[in-house]
Amino acid sequence: VTQFVPYWLFSSGQILPIFNALLGFMFLSGAVVLLAKWYELPEKYSIVLIFSLLVALHPYHLTQLYYAFIATSIGLWHLFAVIGVMTAWQFVFEKKIKWAILSVFFLLTALLGYASVLQLIFVILIGKFLLSLGTEFQTARKEHRLKKYWLQYILTALFLSVVVLVIYGGIIH
């Protein structure tokens, strides 16, 4: 049901293929830019542009734009998934409840709107981990902070898993 809310809010329920696709692509692009920033990609325009284009123009995303009535929603749910994972990471790092509440809100909204966001949530975290294996891992190893490094990823994955299980457990029952 929630997959129809964004296009009702943005276009009064009208199926406007071009508008809905552009809005969906705008939200998806925002998600990719946030992801590039969170992944701490070098701030060279070309690197961020290439990363953004690879993700945003992936055939999976482009085929989603075919469904004009939910293109806006799909882009928005992807943006919410990115924000949800980023705020979960912040919660584990800072241990402030506001980050947990924000994370649960964004993940709940994204998952209730589009169930396949589930895979995206963990792909986002795995992407962060794989990209960190270079400099971040080496720095942690040199500074004898490997335990903290691993704990950040493990606790974030556990937090995300619990949130997902509670959300889906609540839906099923």
PDB file of all heavy atoms in Angstrom, residues 38 84-101 103 125 147-163:
ATOM      1  N   TRP A  38      29.190   8.643   1.674  1.00  0.00           N
ATOM      2  CA  TRP A  38      29.363   7.753   2.823  1.00  0.00           C
ATOM      3  C   TRP A  38      30.488   6.762   2.593  1.00  0.00           C
ATOM      4  O   TRP A  38      31.212   6.411   3.521  1.00  0.00           O
ATOM      5  CB  TRP A  38      28.056   7.038   3.123  1.00  0.00           C
ATOM      6  CG  TRP A  38      28.062   6.261   4.398  1.00  0.00           C
ATOM      7  CD1 TRP A  38      28.343   6.737   5.644  1.00  0.00           C
ATOM      8  CD2 TRP A  38      27.785   4.880   4.561  1.00  0.00           C
ATOM      9  NE1 TRP A  38      28.236   5.732   6.574  1.00  0.00           N
ATOM     10  CE2 TRP A  38      27.891   4.578   5.937  1.00  0.00           C
ATOM     11  CE3 TRP A  38      27.432   3.862   3.681  1.00  0.00           C
ATOM     12  CZ2 TRP A  38      27.663   3.307   6.445  1.00  0.00           C
ATOM     13  CZ3 TRP A  38      27.199   2.606   4.201  1.00  0.00           C
ATOM     14  CH2 TRP A  38      27.327   2.337   5.564  1.00  0.00           C
ATOM     15  N   GLY A  84      18.705   4.936   5.898  1.00  0.00           N
ATOM     16  CA  GLY A  84      18.507   4.003   7.011  1.00  0.00           C
ATOM     17  C   GLY A  84      19.792   3.297   7.414  1.00  0.00           C
ATOM     18  O   GLY A  84      20.090   3.166   8.595  1.00  0.00           O
ATOM     19  N   VAL A  85      20.558   2.845   6.430  1.00  0.00           N
ATOM     20  CA  VAL A  85      21.823   2.169   6.735  1.00  0.00           C
ATOM     21  C   VAL A  85      22.833   3.163   7.301  1.00  0.00           C
ATOM     22  O   VAL A  85      23.546   2.861   8.263  1.00  0.00           O
ATOM     23  CB  VAL A  85      22.390   1.454   5.486  1.00  0.00           C
ATOM     24  CG1 VAL A  85      23.769   0.883   5.767  1.00  0.00           C
ATOM     25  CG2 VAL A  85      21.444   0.346   5.039  1.00  0.00           C
ATOM     26  N   MET A  86      22.879   4.361   6.722  1.00  0.00           N
ATOM     27  CA  MET A  86      23.822   5.381   7.222  1.00  0.00           C
ATOM     28  C   MET A  86      23.512   5.764   8.666  1.00  0.00           C
ATOM     29  O   MET A  86      24.428   5.924   9.476  1.00  0.00           O
ATOM     30  CB  MET A  86      23.789   6.621   6.318  1.00  0.00           C
ATOM     31  CG  MET A  86      24.396   6.388   4.951  1.00  0.00           C
ATOM     32  SD  MET A  86      24.154   7.776   3.805  1.00  0.00           S
ATOM     33  CE  MET A  86      25.094   9.059   4.603  1.00  0.00           C
ATOM     34  N   THR A  87      22.228   5.903   9.000  1.00  0.00           N
ATOM     35  CA  THR A  87      21.870   6.266  10.374  1.00  0.00           C
ATOM     36  C   THR A  87      22.081   5.084  11.328  1.00  0.00           C
ATOM     37  O   THR A  87      22.391   5.290  12.500  1.00  0.00           O
ATOM     38  CB  THR A  87      20.428   6.805  10.461  1.00  0.00           C
ATOM     39  OG1 THR A  87      19.535   5.892   9.827  1.00  0.00           O
ATOM     40  CG2 THR A  87      20.308   8.170   9.802  1.00  0.00           C
ATOM     41  N   ALA A  88      21.928   3.859  10.843  1.00  0.00           N
ATOM     42  CA  ALA A  88      22.251   2.688  11.676  1.00  0.00           C
ATOM     43  C   ALA A  88      23.737   2.680  12.000  1.00  0.00           C
ATOM     44  O   ALA A  88      24.139   2.420  13.136  1.00  0.00           O
ATOM     45  CB  ALA A  88      21.867   1.393  10.946  1.00  0.00           C
ATOM     46  N   TRP A  89      24.554   2.967  11.018  1.00  0.00           N
ATOM     47  CA  TRP A  89      26.008   3.059  11.201  1.00  0.00           C
ATOM     48  C   TRP A  89      26.322   4.126  12.251  1.00  0.00           C
ATOM     49  O   TRP A  89      27.143   3.914  13.147  1.00  0.00           O
ATOM     50  CB  TRP A  89      26.656   3.402   9.871  1.00  0.00           C
ATOM     51  CG  TRP A  89      28.134   3.552   9.907  1.00  0.00           C
ATOM     52  CD1 TRP A  89      28.835   4.712  10.123  1.00  0.00           C
ATOM     53  CD2 TRP A  89      29.118   2.534   9.721  1.00  0.00           C
ATOM     54  NE1 TRP A  89      30.180   4.466  10.073  1.00  0.00           N
ATOM     55  CE2 TRP A  89      30.377   3.129   9.819  1.00  0.00           C
ATOM     56  CE3 TRP A  89      29.035   1.173   9.461  1.00  0.00           C
ATOM     57  CZ2 TRP A  89      31.558   2.406   9.682  1.00  0.00           C
ATOM     58  CZ3 TRP A  89      30.203   0.464   9.325  1.00  0.00           C
ATOM     59  CH2 TRP A  89      31.452   1.078   9.433  1.00  0.00           C
ATOM     60  N   GLN A  90      25.658   5.264  12.147  1.00  0.00           N
ATOM     61  CA  GLN A  90      25.889   6.367  13.082  1.00  0.00           C
ATOM     62  C   GLN A  90      25.460   5.981  14.491  1.00  0.00           C
ATOM     63  O   GLN A  90      26.108   6.340  15.467  1.00  0.00           O
ATOM     64  CB  GLN A  90      25.135   7.617  12.601  1.00  0.00           C
ATOM     65  CG  GLN A  90      25.696   8.904  13.094  1.00  0.00           C
ATOM     66  CD  GLN A  90      27.125   9.139  12.638  1.00  0.00           C
ATOM     67  OE1 GLN A  90      27.527   8.745  11.556  1.00  0.00           O
ATOM     68  NE2 GLN A  90      27.902   9.783  13.464  1.00  0.00           N
ATOM     69  N   PHE A  91      24.349   5.232  14.593  1.00  0.00           N
ATOM     70  CA  PHE A  91      23.884   4.772  15.905  1.00  0.00           C
ATOM     71  C   PHE A  91      24.931   3.878  16.569  1.00  0.00           C
ATOM     72  O   PHE A  91      25.249   4.042  17.748  1.00  0.00           O
ATOM     73  CB  PHE A  91      22.558   4.019  15.777  1.00  0.00           C
ATOM     74  CG  PHE A  91      22.182   3.253  17.010  1.00  0.00           C
ATOM     75  CD1 PHE A  91      21.879   3.924  18.193  1.00  0.00           C
ATOM     76  CD2 PHE A  91      22.142   1.876  17.004  1.00  0.00           C
ATOM     77  CE1 PHE A  91      21.536   3.227  19.343  1.00  0.00           C
ATOM     78  CE2 PHE A  91      21.803   1.163  18.149  1.00  0.00           C
ATOM     79  CZ  PHE A  91      21.504   1.839  19.317  1.00  0.00           C
ATOM     80  N   VAL A  92      25.477   2.931  15.824  1.00  0.00           N
ATOM     81  CA  VAL A  92      26.490   2.028  16.380  1.00  0.00           C
ATOM     82  C   VAL A  92      27.738   2.813  16.763  1.00  0.00           C
ATOM     83  O   VAL A  92      28.362   2.547  17.790  1.00  0.00           O
ATOM     84  CB  VAL A  92      26.829   0.896  15.376  1.00  0.00           C
ATOM     85  CG1 VAL A  92      28.022   0.094  15.838  1.00  0.00           C
ATOM     86  CG2 VAL A  92      25.612  -0.005  15.187  1.00  0.00           C
ATOM     87  N   PHE A  93      28.078   3.830  15.975  1.00  0.00           N
ATOM     88  CA  PHE A  93      29.273   4.622  16.228  1.00  0.00           C
ATOM     89  C   PHE A  93      29.099   5.540  17.440  1.00  0.00           C
ATOM     90  O   PHE A  93      29.950   5.597  18.318  1.00  0.00           O
ATOM     91  CB  PHE A  93      29.622   5.439  14.983  1.00  0.00           C
ATOM     92  CG  PHE A  93      30.887   6.229  15.103  1.00  0.00           C
ATOM     93  CD1 PHE A  93      32.126   5.597  15.082  1.00  0.00           C
ATOM     94  CD2 PHE A  93      30.853   7.598  15.249  1.00  0.00           C
ATOM     95  CE1 PHE A  93      33.300   6.317  15.202  1.00  0.00           C
ATOM     96  CE2 PHE A  93      32.021   8.331  15.368  1.00  0.00           C
ATOM     97  CZ  PHE A  93      33.246   7.687  15.349  1.00  0.00           C
ATOM     98  N   GLU A  94      27.987   6.271  17.497  1.00  0.00           N
ATOM     99  CA  GLU A  94      27.780   7.273  18.563  1.00  0.00           C
ATOM    100  C   GLU A  94      26.970   6.765  19.751  1.00  0.00           C
ATOM    101  O   GLU A  94      26.962   7.381  20.796  1.00  0.00           O
ATOM    102  CB  GLU A  94      27.073   8.504  17.996  1.00  0.00           C
ATOM    103  CG  GLU A  94      27.913   9.323  17.062  1.00  0.00           C
ATOM    104  CD  GLU A  94      27.188  10.586  16.609  1.00  0.00           C
ATOM    105  OE1 GLU A  94      26.177  10.975  17.243  1.00  0.00           O
ATOM    106  OE2 GLU A  94      27.631  11.166  15.622  1.00  0.00           O
ATOM    107  N   LYS A  95      26.211   5.706  19.549  1.00  0.00           N
ATOM    108  CA  LYS A  95      25.344   5.135  20.585  1.00  0.00           C
ATOM    109  C   LYS A  95      24.311   6.143  21.090  1.00  0.00           C
ATOM    110  O   LYS A  95      24.004   6.206  22.277  1.00  0.00           O
ATOM    111  CB  LYS A  95      26.170   4.578  21.736  1.00  0.00           C
ATOM    112  CG  LYS A  95      27.229   3.627  21.213  1.00  0.00           C
ATOM    113  CD  LYS A  95      27.635   2.580  22.117  1.00  0.00           C
ATOM    114  CE  LYS A  95      28.665   1.643  21.587  1.00  0.00           C
ATOM    115  NZ  LYS A  95      29.267   1.806  20.308  1.00  0.00           N
ATOM    116  N   LYS A  96      23.766   6.938  20.166  1.00  0.00           N
ATOM    117  CA  LYS A  96      22.708   7.891  20.506  1.00  0.00           C
ATOM    118  C   LYS A  96      21.397   7.374  19.933  1.00  0.00           C
ATOM    119  O   LYS A  96      21.314   7.025  18.754  1.00  0.00           O
ATOM    120  CB  LYS A  96      23.025   9.281  19.946  1.00  0.00           C
ATOM    121  CG  LYS A  96      24.196   9.927  20.633  1.00  0.00           C
ATOM    122  CD  LYS A  96      24.398  11.341  20.177  1.00  0.00           C
ATOM    123  CE  LYS A  96      25.580  11.964  20.916  1.00  0.00           C
ATOM    124  NZ  LYS A  96      25.893  13.290  20.419  1.00  0.00           N
ATOM    125  N   ILE A  97      20.372   7.366  20.765  1.00  0.00           N
ATOM    126  CA  ILE A  97      19.091   6.762  20.403  1.00  0.00           C
ATOM    127  C   ILE A  97      18.437   7.456  19.210  1.00  0.00           C
ATOM    128  O   ILE A  97      17.697   6.823  18.459  1.00  0.00           O
ATOM    129  CB  ILE A  97      18.137   6.717  21.629  1.00  0.00           C
ATOM    130  CG1 ILE A  97      16.969   5.759  21.380  1.00  0.00           C
ATOM    131  CG2 ILE A  97      17.637   8.098  21.982  1.00  0.00           C
ATOM    132  CD1 ILE A  97      17.371   4.333  21.394  1.00  0.00           C
ATOM    133  N   LYS A  98      18.709   8.742  19.008  1.00  0.00           N
ATOM    134  CA  LYS A  98      18.090   9.446  17.876  1.00  0.00           C
ATOM    135  C   LYS A  98      18.455   8.787  16.552  1.00  0.00           C
ATOM    136  O   LYS A  98      17.639   8.712  15.640  1.00  0.00           O
ATOM    137  CB  LYS A  98      18.462  10.929  17.864  1.00  0.00           C
ATOM    138  CG  LYS A  98      19.901  11.215  17.481  1.00  0.00           C
ATOM    139  CD  LYS A  98      20.193  12.703  17.425  1.00  0.00           C
ATOM    140  CE  LYS A  98      21.638  12.931  17.010  1.00  0.00           C
ATOM    141  NZ  LYS A  98      21.959  14.334  16.934  1.00  0.00           N
ATOM    142  N   TRP A  99      19.688   8.270  16.443  1.00  0.00           N
ATOM    143  CA  TRP A  99      20.113   7.609  15.201  1.00  0.00           C
ATOM    144  C   TRP A  99      19.367   6.292  15.023  1.00  0.00           C
ATOM    145  O   TRP A  99      19.013   5.918  13.901  1.00  0.00           O
ATOM    146  CB  TRP A  99      21.622   7.388  15.176  1.00  0.00           C
ATOM    147  CG  TRP A  99      22.405   8.662  15.149  1.00  0.00           C
ATOM    148  CD1 TRP A  99      23.279   9.111  16.102  1.00  0.00           C
ATOM    149  CD2 TRP A  99      22.385   9.661  14.138  1.00  0.00           C
ATOM    150  NE1 TRP A  99      23.804  10.326  15.736  1.00  0.00           N
ATOM    151  CE2 TRP A  99      23.269  10.693  14.527  1.00  0.00           C
ATOM    152  CE3 TRP A  99      21.701   9.806  12.929  1.00  0.00           C
ATOM    153  CZ2 TRP A  99      23.480  11.833  13.762  1.00  0.00           C
ATOM    154  CZ3 TRP A  99      21.914  10.944  12.161  1.00  0.00           C
ATOM    155  CH2 TRP A  99      22.802  11.939  12.590  1.00  0.00           C
ATOM    156  N   ALA A 100      19.121   5.581  16.112  1.00  0.00           N
ATOM    157  CA  ALA A 100      18.378   4.319  16.022  1.00  0.00           C
ATOM    158  C   ALA A 100      16.945   4.568  15.576  1.00  0.00           C
ATOM    159  O   ALA A 100      16.414   3.857  14.718  1.00  0.00           O
ATOM    160  CB  ALA A 100      18.398   3.601  17.364  1.00  0.00           C
ATOM    161  N   ILE A 101      16.332   5.594  16.142  1.00  0.00           N
ATOM    162  CA  ILE A 101      14.944   5.924  15.781  1.00  0.00           C
ATOM    163  C   ILE A 101      14.859   6.325  14.314  1.00  0.00           C
ATOM    164  O   ILE A 101      13.969   5.867  13.581  1.00  0.00           O
ATOM    165  CB  ILE A 101      14.394   7.036  16.707  1.00  0.00           C
ATOM    166  CG1 ILE A 101      14.258   6.497  18.132  1.00  0.00           C
ATOM    167  CG2 ILE A 101      13.071   7.577  16.188  1.00  0.00           C
ATOM    168  CD1 ILE A 101      13.989   7.551  19.182  1.00  0.00           C
ATOM    169  N   SER A 103      16.939   5.523  11.928  1.00  0.00           N
ATOM    170  CA  SER A 103      17.230   4.345  11.117  1.00  0.00           C
ATOM    171  C   SER A 103      16.000   3.453  10.995  1.00  0.00           C
ATOM    172  O   SER A 103      15.648   3.023   9.898  1.00  0.00           O
ATOM    173  CB  SER A 103      18.393   3.566  11.728  1.00  0.00           C
ATOM    174  OG  SER A 103      18.667   2.440  10.942  1.00  0.00           O
ATOM    175  N   LEU A 125      25.841  -2.044   3.051  1.00  0.00           N
ATOM    176  CA  LEU A 125      26.821  -2.272   4.117  1.00  0.00           C
ATOM    177  C   LEU A 125      28.008  -3.087   3.611  1.00  0.00           C
ATOM    178  O   LEU A 125      29.158  -2.779   3.935  1.00  0.00           O
ATOM    179  CB  LEU A 125      26.175  -2.962   5.319  1.00  0.00           C
ATOM    180  CG  LEU A 125      27.076  -3.133   6.541  1.00  0.00           C
ATOM    181  CD1 LEU A 125      27.535  -1.773   7.075  1.00  0.00           C
ATOM    182  CD2 LEU A 125      26.341  -3.903   7.629  1.00  0.00           C
ATOM    183  N   LYS A 147      39.953  -4.321  16.360  1.00  0.00           N
ATOM    184  CA  LYS A 147      38.769  -4.773  17.099  1.00  0.00           C
ATOM    185  C   LYS A 147      37.623  -3.771  16.906  1.00  0.00           C
ATOM    186  O   LYS A 147      36.489  -4.164  16.640  1.00  0.00           O
ATOM    187  CB  LYS A 147      39.103  -4.938  18.580  1.00  0.00           C
ATOM    188  CG  LYS A 147      37.947  -5.460  19.394  1.00  0.00           C
ATOM    189  CD  LYS A 147      38.336  -5.649  20.850  1.00  0.00           C
ATOM    190  CE  LYS A 147      37.145  -6.114  21.651  1.00  0.00           C
ATOM    191  NZ  LYS A 147      37.459  -6.226  23.075  1.00  0.00           N
ATOM    192  N   LYS A 148      37.923  -2.500  17.041  1.00  0.00           N
ATOM    193  CA  LYS A 148      36.908  -1.461  16.861  1.00  0.00           C
ATOM    194  C   LYS A 148      36.398  -1.445  15.423  1.00  0.00           C
ATOM    195  O   LYS A 148      35.212  -1.287  15.174  1.00  0.00           O
ATOM    196  CB  LYS A 148      37.499  -0.099  17.230  1.00  0.00           C
ATOM    197  CG  LYS A 148      36.509   1.024  17.197  1.00  0.00           C
ATOM    198  CD  LYS A 148      37.136   2.330  17.644  1.00  0.00           C
ATOM    199  CE  LYS A 148      36.115   3.442  17.578  1.00  0.00           C
ATOM    200  NZ  LYS A 148      36.680   4.724  17.936  1.00  0.00           N
ATOM    201  N   TYR A 149      37.306  -1.642  14.478  1.00  0.00           N
ATOM    202  CA  TYR A 149      36.964  -1.676  13.053  1.00  0.00           C
ATOM    203  C   TYR A 149      35.959  -2.791  12.785  1.00  0.00           C
ATOM    204  O   TYR A 149      34.907  -2.575  12.191  1.00  0.00           O
ATOM    205  CB  TYR A 149      38.247  -1.875  12.238  1.00  0.00           C
ATOM    206  CG  TYR A 149      38.036  -2.159  10.768  1.00  0.00           C
ATOM    207  CD1 TYR A 149      37.871  -1.116   9.874  1.00  0.00           C
ATOM    208  CD2 TYR A 149      38.016  -3.456  10.281  1.00  0.00           C
ATOM    209  CE1 TYR A 149      37.687  -1.368   8.525  1.00  0.00           C
ATOM    210  CE2 TYR A 149      37.834  -3.715   8.941  1.00  0.00           C
ATOM    211  CZ  TYR A 149      37.671  -2.669   8.064  1.00  0.00           C
ATOM    212  OH  TYR A 149      37.485  -2.918   6.730  1.00  0.00           O
ATOM    213  N   TRP A 150      36.265  -4.013  13.224  1.00  0.00           N
ATOM    214  CA  TRP A 150      35.382  -5.150  12.990  1.00  0.00           C
ATOM    215  C   TRP A 150      34.066  -4.997  13.751  1.00  0.00           C
ATOM    216  O   TRP A 150      33.005  -5.353  13.235  1.00  0.00           O
ATOM    217  CB  TRP A 150      36.066  -6.460  13.385  1.00  0.00           C
ATOM    218  CG  TRP A 150      37.139  -6.866  12.424  1.00  0.00           C
ATOM    219  CD1 TRP A 150      38.483  -6.883  12.661  1.00  0.00           C
ATOM    220  CD2 TRP A 150      36.969  -7.290  11.070  1.00  0.00           C
ATOM    221  NE1 TRP A 150      39.157  -7.287  11.533  1.00  0.00           N
ATOM    222  CE2 TRP A 150      38.250  -7.549  10.538  1.00  0.00           C
ATOM    223  CE3 TRP A 150      35.870  -7.474  10.250  1.00  0.00           C
ATOM    224  CZ2 TRP A 150      38.446  -7.982   9.235  1.00  0.00           C
ATOM    225  CZ3 TRP A 150      36.069  -7.911   8.953  1.00  0.00           C
ATOM    226  CH2 TRP A 150      37.339  -8.157   8.463  1.00  0.00           C
ATOM    227  N   LEU A 151      34.135  -4.502  14.988  1.00  0.00           N
ATOM    228  CA  LEU A 151      32.920  -4.327  15.782  1.00  0.00           C
ATOM    229  C   LEU A 151      31.934  -3.376  15.121  1.00  0.00           C
ATOM    230  O   LEU A 151      30.723  -3.604  15.180  1.00  0.00           O
ATOM    231  CB  LEU A 151      33.266  -3.818  17.188  1.00  0.00           C
ATOM    232  CG  LEU A 151      33.534  -4.884  18.231  1.00  0.00           C
ATOM    233  CD1 LEU A 151      33.956  -4.254  19.549  1.00  0.00           C
ATOM    234  CD2 LEU A 151      32.327  -5.779  18.437  1.00  0.00           C
ATOM    235  N   GLN A 152      32.426  -2.322  14.500  1.00  0.00           N
ATOM    236  CA  GLN A 152      31.542  -1.366  13.829  1.00  0.00           C
ATOM    237  C   GLN A 152      30.707  -2.069  12.754  1.00  0.00           C
ATOM    238  O   GLN A 152      29.500  -1.887  12.685  1.00  0.00           O
ATOM    239  CB  GLN A 152      32.364  -0.227  13.204  1.00  0.00           C
ATOM    240  CG  GLN A 152      31.539   0.821  12.483  1.00  0.00           C
ATOM    241  CD  GLN A 152      30.723   1.694  13.408  1.00  0.00           C
ATOM    242  OE1 GLN A 152      31.155   2.027  14.505  1.00  0.00           O
ATOM    243  NE2 GLN A 152      29.534   2.056  12.987  1.00  0.00           N
ATOM    244  N   TYR A 153      31.340  -2.889  11.964  1.00  0.00           N
ATOM    245  CA  TYR A 153      30.625  -3.595  10.898  1.00  0.00           C
ATOM    246  C   TYR A 153      29.713  -4.686  11.457  1.00  0.00           C
ATOM    247  O   TYR A 153      28.566  -4.830  11.028  1.00  0.00           O
ATOM    248  CB  TYR A 153      31.610  -4.196   9.888  1.00  0.00           C
ATOM    249  CG  TYR A 153      32.189  -3.140   8.984  1.00  0.00           C
ATOM    250  CD1 TYR A 153      33.433  -2.586   9.241  1.00  0.00           C
ATOM    251  CD2 TYR A 153      31.472  -2.668   7.896  1.00  0.00           C
ATOM    252  CE1 TYR A 153      33.958  -1.592   8.429  1.00  0.00           C
ATOM    253  CE2 TYR A 153      31.990  -1.676   7.072  1.00  0.00           C
ATOM    254  CZ  TYR A 153      33.232  -1.150   7.343  1.00  0.00           C
ATOM    255  OH  TYR A 153      33.737  -0.167   6.542  1.00  0.00           O
ATOM    256  N   ILE A 154      30.215  -5.444  12.415  1.00  0.00           N
ATOM    257  CA  ILE A 154      29.425  -6.537  12.976  1.00  0.00           C
ATOM    258  C   ILE A 154      28.198  -6.008  13.700  1.00  0.00           C
ATOM    259  O   ILE A 154      27.078  -6.501  13.505  1.00  0.00           O
ATOM    260  CB  ILE A 154      30.295  -7.404  13.916  1.00  0.00           C
ATOM    261  CG1 ILE A 154      31.337  -8.157  13.091  1.00  0.00           C
ATOM    262  CG2 ILE A 154      29.437  -8.361  14.741  1.00  0.00           C
ATOM    263  CD1 ILE A 154      32.436  -8.802  13.913  1.00  0.00           C
ATOM    264  N   LEU A 155      28.374  -4.972  14.526  1.00  0.00           N
ATOM    265  CA  LEU A 155      27.240  -4.420  15.273  1.00  0.00           C
ATOM    266  C   LEU A 155      26.229  -3.741  14.350  1.00  0.00           C
ATOM    267  O   LEU A 155      25.024  -3.820  14.584  1.00  0.00           O
ATOM    268  CB  LEU A 155      27.734  -3.453  16.350  1.00  0.00           C
ATOM    269  CG  LEU A 155      28.496  -4.108  17.498  1.00  0.00           C
ATOM    270  CD1 LEU A 155      29.026  -3.046  18.469  1.00  0.00           C
ATOM    271  CD2 LEU A 155      27.634  -5.122  18.225  1.00  0.00           C
ATOM    272  N   THR A 156      26.704  -3.088  13.306  1.00  0.00           N
ATOM    273  CA  THR A 156      25.778  -2.481  12.352  1.00  0.00           C
ATOM    274  C   THR A 156      24.979  -3.566  11.641  1.00  0.00           C
ATOM    275  O   THR A 156      23.760  -3.438  11.477  1.00  0.00           O
ATOM    276  CB  THR A 156      26.528  -1.598  11.329  1.00  0.00           C
ATOM    277  OG1 THR A 156      27.268  -0.594  12.027  1.00  0.00           O
ATOM    278  CG2 THR A 156      25.554  -0.926  10.371  1.00  0.00           C
ATOM    279  N   ALA A 157      25.638  -4.636  11.214  1.00  0.00           N
ATOM    280  CA  ALA A 157      24.935  -5.750  10.560  1.00  0.00           C
ATOM    281  C   ALA A 157      23.917  -6.382  11.510  1.00  0.00           C
ATOM    282  O   ALA A 157      22.791  -6.710  11.105  1.00  0.00           O
ATOM    283  CB  ALA A 157      25.932  -6.782  10.068  1.00  0.00           C
ATOM    284  N   LEU A 158      24.282  -6.535  12.780  1.00  0.00           N
ATOM    285  CA  LEU A 158      23.347  -7.093  13.766  1.00  0.00           C
ATOM    286  C   LEU A 158      22.157  -6.176  13.982  1.00  0.00           C
ATOM    287  O   LEU A 158      21.013  -6.628  14.039  1.00  0.00           O
ATOM    288  CB  LEU A 158      24.062  -7.352  15.093  1.00  0.00           C
ATOM    289  CG  LEU A 158      24.956  -8.581  15.136  1.00  0.00           C
ATOM    290  CD1 LEU A 158      25.748  -8.621  16.448  1.00  0.00           C
ATOM    291  CD2 LEU A 158      24.145  -9.853  14.958  1.00  0.00           C
ATOM    292  N   PHE A 159      22.413  -4.875  14.106  1.00  0.00           N
ATOM    293  CA  PHE A 159      21.329  -3.915  14.290  1.00  0.00           C
ATOM    294  C   PHE A 159      20.376  -3.969  13.100  1.00  0.00           C
ATOM    295  O   PHE A 159      19.154  -4.035  13.268  1.00  0.00           O
ATOM    296  CB  PHE A 159      21.888  -2.494  14.470  1.00  0.00           C
ATOM    297  CG  PHE A 159      20.825  -1.434  14.563  1.00  0.00           C
ATOM    298  CD1 PHE A 159      20.137  -1.232  15.745  1.00  0.00           C
ATOM    299  CD2 PHE A 159      20.504  -0.651  13.468  1.00  0.00           C
ATOM    300  CE1 PHE A 159      19.145  -0.260  15.838  1.00  0.00           C
ATOM    301  CE2 PHE A 159      19.523   0.323  13.540  1.00  0.00           C
ATOM    302  CZ  PHE A 159      18.838   0.509  14.731  1.00  0.00           C
ATOM    303  N   LEU A 160      20.928  -3.952  11.889  1.00  0.00           N
ATOM    304  CA  LEU A 160      20.092  -4.007  10.684  1.00  0.00           C
ATOM    305  C   LEU A 160      19.299  -5.315  10.637  1.00  0.00           C
ATOM    306  O   LEU A 160      18.117  -5.314  10.280  1.00  0.00           O
ATOM    307  CB  LEU A 160      20.953  -3.861   9.431  1.00  0.00           C
ATOM    308  CG  LEU A 160      21.571  -2.479   9.210  1.00  0.00           C
ATOM    309  CD1 LEU A 160      22.571  -2.521   8.065  1.00  0.00           C
ATOM    310  CD2 LEU A 160      20.495  -1.432   8.951  1.00  0.00           C
ATOM    311  N   SER A 161      19.929  -6.411  11.007  1.00  0.00           N
ATOM    312  CA  SER A 161      19.245  -7.708  10.997  1.00  0.00           C
ATOM    313  C   SER A 161      18.080  -7.721  11.978  1.00  0.00           C
ATOM    314  O   SER A 161      16.993  -8.203  11.656  1.00  0.00           O
ATOM    315  CB  SER A 161      20.219  -8.827  11.348  1.00  0.00           C
ATOM    316  OG  SER A 161      21.246  -8.902  10.402  1.00  0.00           O
ATOM    317  N   VAL A 162      18.299  -7.198  13.173  1.00  0.00           N
ATOM    318  CA  VAL A 162      17.233  -7.156  14.178  1.00  0.00           C
ATOM    319  C   VAL A 162      16.085  -6.277  13.693  1.00  0.00           C
ATOM    320  O   VAL A 162      14.912  -6.656  13.803  1.00  0.00           O
ATOM    321  CB  VAL A 162      17.777  -6.667  15.543  1.00  0.00           C
ATOM    322  CG1 VAL A 162      16.651  -6.326  16.496  1.00  0.00           C
ATOM    323  CG2 VAL A 162      18.707  -7.714  16.139  1.00  0.00           C
ATOM    324  N   VAL A 163      16.399  -5.120  13.146  1.00  0.00           N
ATOM    325  CA  VAL A 163      15.350  -4.218  12.641  1.00  0.00           C
ATOM    326  C   VAL A 163      14.536  -4.919  11.562  1.00  0.00           C
ATOM    327  O   VAL A 163      13.301  -4.907  11.583  1.00  0.00           O
ATOM    328  CB  VAL A 163      15.964  -2.894  12.113  1.00  0.00           C
ATOM    329  CG1 VAL A 163      14.928  -2.081  11.353  1.00  0.00           C
ATOM    330  CG2 VAL A 163      16.534  -2.081  13.259  1.00  0.00           C
TER     331      VAL A 163
END
